[in-house]
């Protein structure tokens, strides 16, 4: 019996979801790792807005500013999501929680701007979710900027439900 089926059986779980960040991991993909080269990740260095900087400092974004984020080539994001989600589905995973969705805001200035880049990534994410998982099985996290609302098409219901239950 595979691992996921075993934990479902052992603990009486109906669903098992897996966490991933919008760019794969908090710091994106390692551009030098052999398994990521086909997605053409490039190191980019976030720039925080003055409004964000007026809040308490966040060590994770400070580290990303210093060391960079391995940003997947927008032309390859569909392939990345489909590869990731089809693998997870083949392992009996029922859905995903996608975190750090707001990071695009800080690295999008020469990639078409934050709204267009977010729309593109979100559409490709939703397409992969609907292809690979039943029941639109996604929990959105850290995507609560007001410009995210118009770009969510399939996940907006989950977005509103999550925001009303646990806004952060």
């Amino acid at each position: 019996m595979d691992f996921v089926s075993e934990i479902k059986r052992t603990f009486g779980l109906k669903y098992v979801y897996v966490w991933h960040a919008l760019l794969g991991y908090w710091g994106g993909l390692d551009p030098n790792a052999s398994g990521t080269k086909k997605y053409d990740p490039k190191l980019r260095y976030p720039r925080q807005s003055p409004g964000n900087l007026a809040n308490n400092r966040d060590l994770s974004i400070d580290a990303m500013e210093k060391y960079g984020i391995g940003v997947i080539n927008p032309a390859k994001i569909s392939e990345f999501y489909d590869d990731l989600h089809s693998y997870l589905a083949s392992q009996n995973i029922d859905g995903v929680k996608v975190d750090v969705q707001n990071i695009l805001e800080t690295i999008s200035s020469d990639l078409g701007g934050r709204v267009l880049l977010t729309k593109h990534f979100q559409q490709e994410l939703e397409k992969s979710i609907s292809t690979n998982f039943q029941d639109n099985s996604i929990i959105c996290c850290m995507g609560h900027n007001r410009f995210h609302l118009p770009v969510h098409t399939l996940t907006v219901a989950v977005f509103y439900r999550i925001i009303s239950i646990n806004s952060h």
Side-chain angles (χ1 to χ4, degrees):
M1 179 178 290
D2 67 83
F3 175 73
V4 176
S5 296
E6 178 66 22
I7 63 172
K8 284 181 177 181
R9 185 187 61 74
T10 301
F11 298 104
L13 301 175
K14 186 173 182 181
Y15 304 107
V16 172
Y17 279 42
V18 168
W19 174 97
H20 72 77
L22 190 66
L23 297 176
Y25 197 68
W26 286 98
L29 300 184
D30 181 348
N32 299 313
S34 61
T36 67
K37 291 193 185 299
K38 73 179 192 172
Y39 309 116
D40 193 25
K42 302 279 189 258
L43 273 184
R44 299 180 61 85
Y45 297 85
R47 292 186 320 195
Q48 296 183 72
S49 69
N52 196 44
L53 291 171
N55 295 308
N56 290 332
R57 297 300 300 206
D58 182 318
L59 293 177
S60 62
I61 192 72
D62 290 348
M64 290 177 200
E65 282 182 319
K66 182 176 181 179
Y67 300 108
I69 302 170
V71 178
I72 300 161
N73 181 332
K76 304 279 188 168
I77 196 64
S78 177
E79 181 181 8
F80 171 74
Y81 289 145
D82 193 58
D83 287 350
L84 175 62
H85 296 148
S86 64
Y87 171 75
L88 292 173
S90 77
Q91 299 302 305
N92 204 16
I93 297 297
D94 300 294
V96 290
K97 174 187 176 192
V98 182
D99 210 340
V100 200
Q101 293 191 40
N102 60 349
I103 198 65
L104 296 179
E105 176 179 357
T106 67
I107 52 93
S108 59
S109 61
D110 61 345
L111 292 173
R114 65 185 186 169
V115 174
L116 289 178
L117 189 64
T118 298
K119 181 177 182 179
H120 174 65
F121 274 62
Q122 192 65 41
Q123 286 174 337
E124 297 307 319
L125 173 66
E126 290 178 348
K127 184 169 59 173
S128 178
I129 295 295
S130 66
T131 299
N132 291 293
F133 300 111
Q134 296 179 355
D135 303 324
N136 193 29
S137 299
I138 182 173
I139 299 171
C140 293
C141 188
M142 291 179 67
H144 300 153
N145 297 322
R146 67 182 178 277
F147 64 88
H148 275 92
L149 294 175
V151 302
H152 285 266
T153 55
L154 298 175
T155 58
V156 73
V158 173
F159 177 81
Y160 278 122
R161 190 174 81 219
I162 297 303
I163 212 171
S164 67
I165 294 170
N166 181 19
S167 61
H168 60 271

